[in-house]
Amino acid sequence: MSDAAIPLGDPEAPRPPRAARVPRIVSIHGRTVIDDYAWFRDRSNPDVHAWLEAEDAFAEAVMRPAGGLQEKLYGEMLGRIRETDVNVPWKMGDWLYYSRTEEGKQYSIFCRRREEPEGEEEVILDLNELASGKEYLSLGELDVSDDGSLLAYSLDYTGFRQYTLYVRDLASGRLLSDQLERVSSIAWAADGRTLYYVVEDEAKRPYRLYRHAIGGPADELLYEERDPLYRIWITRSGSRDYLFLTSASATTSEVRFLEARDPAGSFRLIEPRREDREYYVDHRGDRFWIITDDAGKNFRLVSAPRSSPGAESWTEVLPHREAVKIEEIEIFENHLVVIEREGGLDQFLVIDLRSGEQHRIGFREPVYSAAAGTNRHFETTRFRLAYESFVTPMTVYDYDMETRELKLLKQTDVLGGYDAGEYVSERLHARAADGTMIPISLVRRKDLDPAGRNPLLLYGYGAYGYPVPVIFSSNRLSLLDRGVVFAIAHVRGGGEMGKEWHDRGKMEWKQNTFTDFIAAAEHLIETERTSPEHLAIIGGSAGGLLVGAVLNMRPDLFRVAVAQVPFVDVVNTMLDASLPLTVGEYLEWGNPNIEAEFRRLESYDPYLNLAKRRYPAILVRTALNDSQVMYWEAAKYVARLRALKADDNPLLLKVNLGAGHSGASGRYDRLREDAFDVAFVLTQLGIWD
């Protein structure tokens, strides 16, 4: 890497206020943790806001010479989108529901029409009207009562992911007086007048279930989860006959059930929780259908009679398989679809519940993502699914489970003459230090020499058992068409290769996540697909932790890095049990109050392990109202890195003062953010047009 960064603007970097700041000093397990920038946590301090605003202004000033490129990228990205568009309707009751967008409007409009061909459109929720005069808007829940008369929906106006629930009379359009705070999940009873909802505590843990009668008396508390490791949620079965209350930690769960037509009834427990045992439930006919890891980490499928649903009555339908992970099930009147992962790819196994016959829905591309669509019609032979890949835009199908016919309903338009044949996707494997083969999904232009030491952007995540999906992005074409290769390193900690893949990248095995990513980068370099001078990396949230950790371990390996809302202040955050997510995530990262786990966290904490060394060009993104990774993590990281790094490469902190973890909420605003990030990567790779 050269001594000088690709020339951008050269304003003076922000400096912390001169007023003396007392560092936060914590003594734990014989170690002293000094945090010189702990004062960043005080959002009421005007110096904090001044610092964040100065950092954002500095980032804008540095990138000003690339303003023309940003505008060009924004125009390209916008030009590929059909701004006025309609999504595929889904059926519930006598209605077809759908959302649509209109040119020039930031948000979706939710609508319905009667199922008959000439049914007139009825707008049930226009987010653009609700967002008028607001800097941010996010929709949480959206659910219509069984008789189609009432709409329950929740909104967040800050980005903190703290939602208020509203109820609207769809006949009159009138907003009812029923307004509920801190709601995380909801479900209607069959009477259409009783609503069950879950609320969060001060640490944003969903912990209480209430029963609410529309326009009725005070709400009734039905359940409170007192164990801080657990969170709860309420759902409705695929048959619509039952309500399920699930309580789960990261490793253990239990489920209670109630008939949807008995809103005054009491929830009954299916099977008491047992440490390190998970199960999840759906319903059809006289049986509950349950996926459980009681026989192996990748789950098996069982069923049980409604009258005695405990584990002693479970009958196996599909056994546990070492190479196949059951993710979830979709259930219908005569069929059941098991959503599985095998070889890192999504699979659908269809079971005829009358005959027991099984078959899979086949897909041909080497890397892709497939997921269940909205399936709210129980008495059907059609399974709605969504499919996409690096080269195939989002495509919605109906699959007839009887005839095995796949019917195309809609493929997202990519304007501007997109030709999938001009691109090629591949699946590669890198060998980790312990011999494990790490999958790498890759896409490039077909006319690009694969061994040409090309500019390459490598993405990673690796946490919570979340498998990074291989999806289409029309914005990504602005990279590919400039000769940049895009790749995903499917590192351990994710769920691509089953539950064991997750387990081998968390807790005492967390270092595997980082060394797997480094192995993927080294493989791409050794096979001459890129070089350290041409390699960029990107990750967000837990993926931002990954970026921060590998930059400390191997800063020489990368030219440029983008860390979005990064979880980089690991030890300090996990020491604060009052913060959202902290206690529940002891089972993912570790509890620093336990010495061995503290030592592990300390060993890779990106903030604590910053040192006086050379780092590549770095862009860090944060948002003031982020409730998942607090803004001060990124701010502290950048401030400390500025004081330590021994290079002249750009270090930028881009701050959204009116959003949360997911960034801007409006679709045009998101394009602006994407254009900024892509412009930063391109210019640092020496690409200016």
Side-chain angles (χ1 to χ4, degrees):
M1 188 176 298
S2 64
D3 290 339
I6 299 299
L8 288 169
D10 191 27
E12 184 176 351
R15 298 182 182 277
R18 292 182 180 179
R21 301 291 176 186
V22 178
R24 178 176 180 264
I25 302 175
V26 176
S27 295
I28 183 170
H29 306 306
R31 296 294 296 271
T32 300
V33 179
I34 301 175
D35 187 357
D36 291 323
Y37 300 97
W39 62 274
F40 276 26
R41 291 184 50 150
D42 183 6
R43 70 170 63 226
S44 66
N45 185 339
D47 286 347
V48 172
H49 282 265
W51 172 266
L52 295 175
E53 290 168 0
E55 283 285 4
D56 192 67
F58 174 72
E60 290 287 344
V62 169
M63 289 295 290
R64 193 164 292 128
L69 176 59
Q70 291 181 61
E71 285 301 315
K72 186 176 182 179
L73 289 167
Y74 176 79
E76 291 174 6
M77 294 173 181
L78 181 61
R80 299 188 189 104
I81 297 171
R82 188 171 296 284
E83 296 179 70
T84 299
D85 204 359
V86 181
N87 287 330
V88 178
W90 52 271
K91 176 178 168 57
M92 182 178 135
D94 298 329
W95 296 87
L96 295 175
Y97 292 85
Y98 57 96
S99 64
R100 58 181 178 83
T101 55
E102 292 182 2
E103 183 176 352
K105 294 185 177 181
Q106 293 265 27
Y107 299 96
S108 294
I109 302 167
F110 293 87
C111 310
R112 70 178 183 179
R113 58 178 171 82
R114 293 284 182 181
E115 191 174 4
E116 57 264 25
E118 301 303 320
E120 184 177 349
E121 178 179 274
E122 176 184 333
V123 174
I124 61 174
L125 196 69
D126 187 341
L127 295 182
N128 299 285
E129 293 179 359
L130 297 172
S132 179
K134 304 290 195 303
E135 191 172 358
Y136 182 93
L137 174 66
S138 174
L139 176 67
E141 298 291 317
L142 182 76
D143 201 7
V144 179
S145 61
D146 287 21
D147 61 6
S149 65
L150 298 177
L151 171 69
Y153 62 96
S154 62
L155 302 174
D156 167 30
Y157 283 108
T158 68
F160 198 68
R161 294 188 177 178
Q162 187 165 299
Y163 291 89
T164 300
L165 186 76
Y166 305 88
V167 181
R168 175 172 292 177
D169 184 317
L170 291 177
S172 65
R174 182 172 59 93
L175 196 63
L176 304 184
S177 60
D178 309 79
Q179 185 171 314
L180 308 168
E181 301 297 331
R182 306 180 74 98
V183 172
S184 61
S185 63
I186 63 172
W188 288 100
D191 66 352
R193 291 297 178 270
T194 305
L195 187 65
Y196 296 84
Y197 67 97
V198 171
V199 300
E200 298 174 331
D201 64 13
E202 292 300 316
K204 290 193 60 61
R205 180 178 68 95
Y207 78 123
R208 284 180 175 170
L209 172 71
Y210 288 90
R211 179 161 40 214
H212 174 80
I214 300 297
D219 296 350
E220 180 183 1
L221 175 62
L222 301 179
Y223 181 81
E224 180 174 353
E225 178 55 69
R226 299 181 182 275
D227 189 327
L229 289 175
Y230 286 74
R231 54 184 53 221
I232 66 172
W233 62 91
I234 186 77
T235 56
R236 190 92 172 259
S237 67
S239 65
R240 310 289 291 168
D241 290 340
Y242 281 89
L243 296 157
F244 294 122
L245 172 65
T246 303
S247 181
S249 72
T251 60
T252 307
S253 69
E254 66 180 3
V255 181
R256 290 168 171 82
F257 67 97
L258 173 67
E259 285 194 64
R261 64 172 181 246
D262 182 22
S266 299
F267 280 84
R268 294 170 52 198
L269 182 63
I270 286 183
E271 173 69 17
R273 67 183 66 169
R274 292 174 53 204
E275 191 66 27
D276 294 328
R277 287 291 179 266
E278 295 179 70
Y279 71 93
Y280 303 96
V281 185
D282 210 330
H283 164 261
R284 169 192 175 265
D286 62 355
R287 301 186 73 82
F288 290 126
W289 298 78
I290 302 165
I291 62 170
T292 176
D293 66 352
D294 64 350
K297 292 182 177 182
N298 282 339
F299 289 79
R300 64 177 180 137
L301 174 65
V302 301
S303 72
R306 293 181 301 171
S307 56
S308 56
E312 70 280 357
S313 301
W314 291 358
T315 301
E316 186 168 271
V317 179
L318 278 179
H320 173 267
R321 292 157 291 170
E322 291 295 335
V324 182
K325 165 94 183 303
I326 296 177
E327 301 276 9
E328 57 181 311
I329 58 174
E330 291 272 350
I331 200 159
F332 302 90
E333 183 179 34
N334 293 316
H335 299 85
L336 185 146
V337 179
V338 184
I339 300 164
E340 305 175 327
R341 293 191 68 82
E342 183 175 14
L345 296 173
D346 303 305
Q347 306 286 351
F348 297 126
L349 177 68
V350 180
I351 302 175
D352 188 317
L353 295 174
R354 299 160 298 183
S355 66
E357 186 178 357
Q358 303 177 10
H359 70 273
R360 267 187 174 175
I361 304 173
F363 304 108
R364 297 181 179 178
E365 292 186 89
V367 288
Y368 63 85
S369 287
T374 303
N375 291 283
R376 294 289 290 273
H377 185 40
F378 185 68
E379 298 83 7
T380 182
T381 64
R382 295 181 179 179
F383 167 57
R384 175 71 53 83
L385 66 94
Y387 175 92
E388 59 186 316
S389 73
F390 278 149
V391 299
T392 302
M394 170 63 75
T395 309
V396 179
Y397 294 99
D398 268 352
Y399 179 77
D400 193 306
M401 294 176 284
E402 297 253 343
T403 66
R404 305 189 184 185
E405 294 178 5
L406 197 63
K407 180 181 180 182
L408 173 65
L409 301 179
K410 178 183 173 66
Q411 185 171 88
T412 300
D413 290 330
V414 183
L415 307 182
Y418 172 71
D419 180 0
E422 295 178 354
Y423 307 87
V424 61
S425 62
E426 303 173 72
R427 172 62 66 87
L428 313 173
H429 289 85
R431 185 180 298 277
D434 63 1
T436 302
M437 302 306 293
I438 310 303
I440 304 171
S441 299
L442 180 147
V443 61
R444 58 176 172 82
R445 284 194 61 91
K446 186 177 288 187
D447 56 9
L448 194 70
D449 180 3
R453 299 178 187 246
N454 300 299
L456 189 147
L457 178 59
L458 180 62
Y459 175 88
Y461 187 74
Y464 307 112
Y466 174 70
V468 177
V470 176
I471 61 174
F472 183 84
S473 168
S474 60
N475 292 351
R476 190 184 297 136
L477 297 176
S478 291
L479 286 166
L480 300 181
D481 288 346
R482 288 174 170 82
V484 180
V485 180
F486 179 78
I488 299 171
H490 299 284
V491 297
R492 282 173 285 186
E496 284 85 345
M497 306 296 287
K499 186 63 172 68
E500 187 70 16
W501 201 252
H502 176 209
D503 289 346
R504 289 289 173 167
K506 71 172 188 177
M507 299 295 284
E508 66 266 34
W509 300 102
K510 189 60 199 172
Q511 283 285 355
N512 283 339
T513 300
F514 316 131
T515 54
D516 286 357
F517 189 84
I518 290 170
E522 290 176 331
H523 178 76
L524 293 167
I525 292 168
E526 289 165 3
T527 56
E528 299 188 346
R529 292 176 178 271
T530 190
S531 68
E533 293 75 24
H534 296 94
L535 181 54
I537 59 174
I538 185 169
S541 195
L545 162 63
L546 166 61
V547 168
V550 301
L551 287 180
N552 284 329
M553 296 168 69
R554 289 294 307 277
D556 60 301
L557 209 54
F558 316 108
R559 175 80 195 202
V560 53
V562 179
Q564 299 167 324
V565 290
F567 177 39
V568 285
D569 191 21
V570 179
V571 168
N572 287 311
T573 293
M574 297 306 292
L575 281 170
D576 188 347
S578 70
L579 291 175
L581 305 181
T582 293
V583 174
E585 298 204 353
Y586 286 162
L587 300 177
E588 178 74 23
W589 312 106
N591 181 350
N593 297 297
I594 300 170
E595 183 173 1
E597 296 180 14
F598 168 80
R599 301 289 185 200
R600 288 199 298 267
L601 294 170
E602 185 186 37
S603 71
Y604 63 75
D605 182 304
Y607 177 64
L608 295 182
N609 285 286
L610 290 171
K612 191 172 181 62
R613 63 169 70 96
R614 298 179 58 81
Y615 287 89
I618 301 173
L619 167 64
V620 180
R621 272 198 176 274
T622 191
L624 183 63
N625 298 326
D626 193 339
S627 64
Q628 290 183 255
V629 180
M630 298 297 180
Y631 71 88
W632 60 73
E633 295 208 24
K636 289 166 55 178
Y637 175 82
V638 169
R640 188 161 193 254
L641 182 54
R642 280 203 197 288
L644 289 172
K645 74 190 194 83
D647 60 76
D648 295 324
N649 293 322
L651 171 61
L652 307 184
L653 176 63
K654 197 75 182 69
V655 185
N656 190 324
L657 295 170
H661 196 64
S662 299
S665 59
R667 57 180 179 154
Y668 298 109
D669 294 337
R670 284 197 299 270
L671 288 182
R672 290 286 182 193
E673 290 185 342
D674 286 351
F676 185 98
D677 293 358
V678 171
F680 180 78
V681 170
L682 287 174
T683 54
Q684 293 307 299
L685 293 175
I687 303 170
W688 280 78
D689 55 12

